[in-house]
Amino acid sequence: MGKSNGLGFWIACAVFLGAMLALTLVMKNEYPFFAGYVILQFIVLATAWNILGGYAGYVNFGTSAFFGLGVYIAVMLFKAIGAPIVVQIAGAALVGAVLGFGVGLLTLRMQGIFFSIATIAVTIIIETCVTNWKFVGGAAGIQLQRPPVMAPFDSYVKMLFFVQAALVVIAVALARYVQGSWIGRGLQALRDDELAAECTGVPTLKLKLLACCLSGALMSAAGAPSAMYLQFANPDSAFNLNYSVSALAMALIGGTAHWIGPILGAILLGVTQQILTVTISSEVNVLILGLMLVLFVVGAPAGLIGLVGFPWKKRGGT
Amino acid sequence: MSAPLLKIENVTKRFGGFTALDSVSVDIAPGERFGLIGPNGSGKTTLIHCISGALRPTAGGIVFEGRDVTGLPAHKRTRKGIARSFQIPRPFKTMTVRENLLVALDFASLDHGLSAAEQTSHVMSILERMGLATKVDAIASSLSQVELRKMELARAMAAKPKLLISDEAMAGLSSSEVDEVLDLLLKLSGDGITIIMIEHIMHAVMRFSSRVMCLDAGKIVAIGEPKAVMENKRVQEAYLGA
């Protein structure tokens, strides 16, 4: 993997972005973009989750903390200075990276399930702070008026759809880089055995902090356009535990060993969720999500990419 | 005698009220084959942890090549040339043998300039010496116990150490396997690598060591020629509990 098909990867990215752009220009109906946005958002979240959860083995239940923080940084920047969407995303990514750094420091003292529980606590703390932050609407939430849409787009939702597609490319490219580089090998080593990694020269703390910052920045960036997408933000939905569970489930179902896993998982689950939401109800989503997660954990612990049997992951491993 | 490679100066380690190491001091010369013995719980592994950086001593210091490394994290000590194996093998189990060694090449020996081909030839030369060449693409979790022991030593070697600490690398092996690992360690010593060997298998310690130290309850009971240490009354008491 990696170097030999590097050019292929970037061509695929360009084709993907081009196709998404073409869709927004050709298709009149807004609904597919409204639904597609959610799937793209989950690709970013699952990919970001996998950098820490999959490569480094630190299971983060705090995706919703990063996502919600991203939403509210965007809200704040928009309300305070009328920042354009790109600035909202950049600001959210920066703050997300800082929060990631903080969460990374937790790994000094906590591993396994204890780390996971701590990340839930982080979510609750940040949600509580935002709930009491009057400037961004507090518990009641805040209505937002979209600014005029920029050319060449004819609707704001289509523009956000394209923005989220660009975030997908950034997230996947970063994850792919991490996986193929010495960073990825170091993370895999510390996931397998942190003390042995440290004693083999791996700067485990530095790598964990890096993974946390990257993962956090991407998650918050994915959340930033959400405020404008819904034209509304409130703490309940921005910090919804569903984001944490979905990101984790999508990465696990797709497979955590390769960057393509979270993409596959997010598409599979995201599309299923969208179809179920339209045809049955949004509550059934959660049930299906849970069922699929259980099925995959039992039947295909290496996820979709394990089922397909990618050549570089041989049998016999755990 | 030349300047010591490793100086252990009054190292004390307490866990709560329990003193695992009680001001242990010893110098280890370059090229030495140093055997470390003592009954279970005597502090051998704690001492190794303090040297490798897995634990910080409560008091005292570790000096390596004339520099104080007491405050350095383990990965920096590895880069300075202190490598170790573990009492219970700790492979990177989802990786192949090759990848296990590449971690050490990438991070410890800091040979970032090596091309993939150079890395491969380096990995293969280490594995051939260890008798593991046929397993280069095997996943670590599929290795047998003796293969795991060898891979741990190979991984430590890939870090290009000046000091290799072997923590019971022969535990649980059959007697022919013990000889295999012992021969490996002697070969490495022949290359000029200083080796500290912790072992319970006495004939291996006797055959290997140029000097032996016996710990009991965190204190040095005896240190010196292997034979003299074995005949020491207090060493025998410590082992036999008489």
Side-chain angles (χ1 to χ4, degrees), chain A residues 27-305:
Chain A
M27 274 176 72
K28 283 277 162 278
N29 186 353
E30 244 189 25
Y31 180 75
F33 298 103
F34 205 77
Y37 172 91
V38 177
I39 294 166
L40 293 176
Q41 166 188 292
F42 273 120
I43 296 179
V44 179
L45 286 179
T47 300
W49 184 91
N50 199 42
I51 292 177
L52 184 65
Y55 299 161
Y58 275 84
V59 173
N60 178 4
F61 265 102
T63 305
S64 47
F66 290 96
F67 184 88
L69 190 68
V71 172
Y72 271 96
I73 293 299
V75 168
M76 183 201 74
L77 286 172
F78 182 68
K79 195 181 166 194
I81 57 170
I85 186 81
V86 175
V87 176
Q88 292 172 32
I89 292 172
L94 198 68
V95 178
V98 172
L99 178 64
F101 190 84
V103 167
L105 290 177
L106 291 176
T107 66
L108 266 178
R109 303 231 164 246
M110 281 178 278
Q111 286 165 14
I113 189 77
F114 302 102
F115 172 78
S116 303
I117 291 169
T119 57
I120 299 179
V122 168
T123 313
I124 296 169
I125 291 167
I126 293 178
E127 184 178 353
T128 308
C129 292
V130 169
T131 304
N132 290 289
W133 188 6
K134 290 283 175 292
F135 182 71
V136 291
I142 187 168
Q143 295 278 352
L144 297 159
Q145 193 65 48
R146 284 175 187 157
V149 65
M150 278 179 280
F153 303 100
D154 60 0
S155 91
Y156 212 83
V157 166
K158 288 182 187 173
M159 184 179 88
L160 290 178
F161 173 84
F162 183 73
V163 165
Q164 196 66 258
L167 285 176
V168 165
V169 169
I170 293 172
V172 171
L174 269 173
R176 177 176 172 275
Y177 171 75
V178 166
Q179 182 189 321
S181 70
W182 56 277
I183 305 170
R185 180 166 285 141
L187 291 175
Q188 191 184 353
L190 78 87
R191 181 192 64 193
D192 281 357
D193 193 317
E194 206 156 325
L195 178 60
E198 182 74 24
C199 286
T200 312
V202 180
T204 52
L205 179 62
K206 221 184 274 176
L207 288 186
K208 286 188 292 184
L209 288 174
L210 182 64
C212 285
C213 287
L214 275 179
S215 174
L218 290 173
M219 285 174 177
S220 292
S226 178
M228 285 299 157
Y229 169 77
L230 294 170
Q231 304 183 69
F232 176 72
N234 78 336
D236 267 359
S237 54
F239 292 93
N240 198 311
L241 190 65
N242 196 22
Y243 293 113
S244 299
V245 177
S246 296
L248 175 153
M250 287 164 177
L252 290 180
I253 287 173
T256 58
H258 192 272
W259 53 266
I260 203 134
I263 303 179
L264 298 177
I267 292 174
L268 177 69
L269 277 191
V271 170
T272 315
Q273 284 185 336
Q274 289 302 315
I275 292 172
L276 287 174
T277 307
V278 178
T279 54
I280 309 176
S281 82
S282 57
E283 274 75 30
V284 177
N285 272 340
V286 188
L287 179 71
I288 298 295
L289 190 83
L291 276 176
M292 286 177 81
L293 188 57
V294 170
L295 276 178
F296 268 86
V297 166
V298 174
L304 285 172
I305 58 174

Side-chain angles (χ1 to χ4, degrees), chain B residues 188-205:
Chain B
L188 298 178
S189 168
D191 293 347
I193 295 169
T194 310
I195 297 178
I196 300 179
M197 182 173 88
I198 301 190
E199 206 49 67
H200 279 305
I201 301 169
M202 280 308 155
H203 74 86
V205 178

Side-chain angles (χ1 to χ4, degrees), chain A residues 182-183 185-186 188-193 195-204 206-207 313-318, chain B residues 49 52 54 73-75 78-79 84 86 90-95 99 102-104 106-108 137 139 141 155:
Chain A
W182 56 277
I183 305 170
R185 180 166 285 141
Q188 191 184 353
L190 78 87
R191 181 192 64 193
D192 281 357
D193 193 317
L195 178 60
E198 182 74 24
C199 286
T200 312
V202 180
T204 52
K206 221 184 274 176
L207 288 186
K313 280 283 144 192
K314 291 170 200 72
R315 293 270 178 82
T318 44
Chain B
H49 279 329
S52 66
H75 70 266
T78 307
R79 289 174 184 180
R84 65 172 293 183
F86 291 91
R90 305 181 75 138
F92 304 130
K93 58 182 185 298
T94 63
M95 298 186 188
E99 288 165 337
L102 285 179
V103 173
D106 274 355
F107 287 96
D137 286 317
I139 295 273
S141 58
R155 192 174 66 190

